[in-house]
Amino acid sequence: MTYLDLHCHSVASDDSRATVEQYLKFIQVHRKKGYTIDGIVLTEHRQFNFDVDYSQLAAEYGVIVLKGAELDTCFGHMLVYNITPSLAKDVDFGDVKMDGRELIKAARHHGGFVVPAHPGRFGIGLVEYMEQGEVFEDVSIVERVNAGSKPEENERAEDLCQRTGYLGTAGSDAHLASHIARAVTEFKADIRTEPELVDALISGEFRPVYIQETAAAPVA
Amino acid sequence: MTGSAKLYFEDVELGDEIGPAVISVADDQVVDFCSLWGNPAPNRFTDQAEAEKIGLDGPIVPGIMTMALVSRVITDWAGAGTVADLDLVFRGTVPHNQPLYVGIQVSDTEQDDDGNHVQCDITMTGPVPDRPYVIGTARLNLPSRD
């Protein structure tokens, strides 16, 4: 079993105020309270940095740190996992009007995986586009729980999953250290790398949970 | 303890939560603030019609007034002169005459040659569960008991 926060932003994203180390420190606060958090996936806005290496910090704090991205598309924000040099060559990450359907195909072609972020968010979520008649044949998983969304937006995401059979992930969408891991995805598999994350997503053996559900025993 | 600080560094732990403090901003307070600031009424901060002209639902609290109010919540807790930096991100407009919930959570602590530093995460929300109007961080310098 692996509990991963699949959506968070460090100061590399312009609207975040948390460093990666501050996230890892704050995960220790959660762990002291009895919650289980194994790792995070950094999903910076509109960018991916191949050179930055968090392995030393990850080892120091005992937290898995994986890297992805949150890209803007014409169909809303999309979380991209297992970004390879070939995918980054094929896709302009800074293009805020890119075709989301093409991104999903390109990611799969290069061994990555795309999960539409906060699909129930008013104005910019996948639900809005589906209501306009858009069809997304290659979507099979969406972010069902986004801890930065309004409750009714998460309810719309849940309705979407029930209607379509989409599977759902969870992430905090943290921009502050204290918001890390408020929602996480529980995977059956042990995950230590980005390719393992993609395999686990494809397996379908995961579910979205709030941090309170990760406690082995009730937390006061 | 030196200065006007109410807290020692040793009293603060990573993860500590303070508040939320509940504040509200009345129309006449915004008018007074704008007058002192040199941006006298009517304007989008004080007047319904002026606000609607630029697409707002109603007059809003000026950003620098929001920063001042957040600073006051922090100094009410930590003491005057402790805030070294306040960095807020406005994710929505801050309304008049509504309860505003200002939450503080300690998100980092650090001691170095320059002193004792505490970073706090700040959120300001409205009365219903919602995305915050404002998020950000404050960096405090606190005295030590030693």
Side-chain angles (χ1 to χ4, degrees), chain A residues 71-198:
Chain A
L71 303 185
D72 293 20
T73 80
C74 62
F75 299 121
H77 294 182
M78 298 203 176
L79 301 166
V80 188
Y81 303 116
N82 194 30
I83 293 169
T84 58
S86 59
L87 174 61
K89 195 176 170 191
D90 262 12
V91 174
D92 176 2
F93 283 17
D95 176 7
V96 298
K97 299 284 186 193
M98 76 171 80
D99 185 332
R101 282 187 282 247
E102 292 303 315
L103 172 65
I104 293 167
K105 284 183 181 153
R108 286 305 301 131
H109 177 71
H110 293 287
F113 202 92
V114 169
V115 174
H118 39 69
R121 194 164 287 182
F122 295 107
I124 61 166
L126 200 72
V127 169
E128 299 277 331
Y129 298 101
M130 294 176 85
E131 286 175 353
Q132 292 166 22
E134 299 288 350
V135 177
F136 299 94
E137 288 178 350
D138 295 317
V139 170
S140 56
I141 302 171
V142 295
E143 185 183 47
R144 199 175 100 188
V145 175
N146 176 293
S149 287
K150 299 177 184 182
E152 59 265 39
E153 291 172 335
N154 280 328
E155 285 168 17
R156 287 177 97 206
E158 190 169 345
D159 287 346
L160 172 67
C161 289
Q162 286 178 356
R163 270 200 326 272
T164 60
Y166 291 166
L167 300 177
T169 62
S172 65
D173 202 357
H175 290 70
L176 297 176
S178 58
H179 291 186
I180 193 70
R182 288 182 169 183
V184 295
T185 306
E186 178 193 88
F187 291 94
K188 274 195 179 169
D190 285 332
I191 298 167
R192 293 292 179 274
T193 65
E194 287 89 354
E196 287 175 354
L197 171 60
V198 169

Side-chain angles (χ1 to χ4, degrees), chain A residues 17 22 25 148 150 153 178, chain B residues 87 108 119 121 130-131:
Chain A
R17 296 294 181 269
Q22 286 169 343
K25 279 186 185 177
K150 299 177 184 182
E153 291 172 335
S178 58
Chain B
D87 180 8
D108 204 0
Q119 180 166 311
D121 289 350
D130 205 341
R131 282 198 296 278

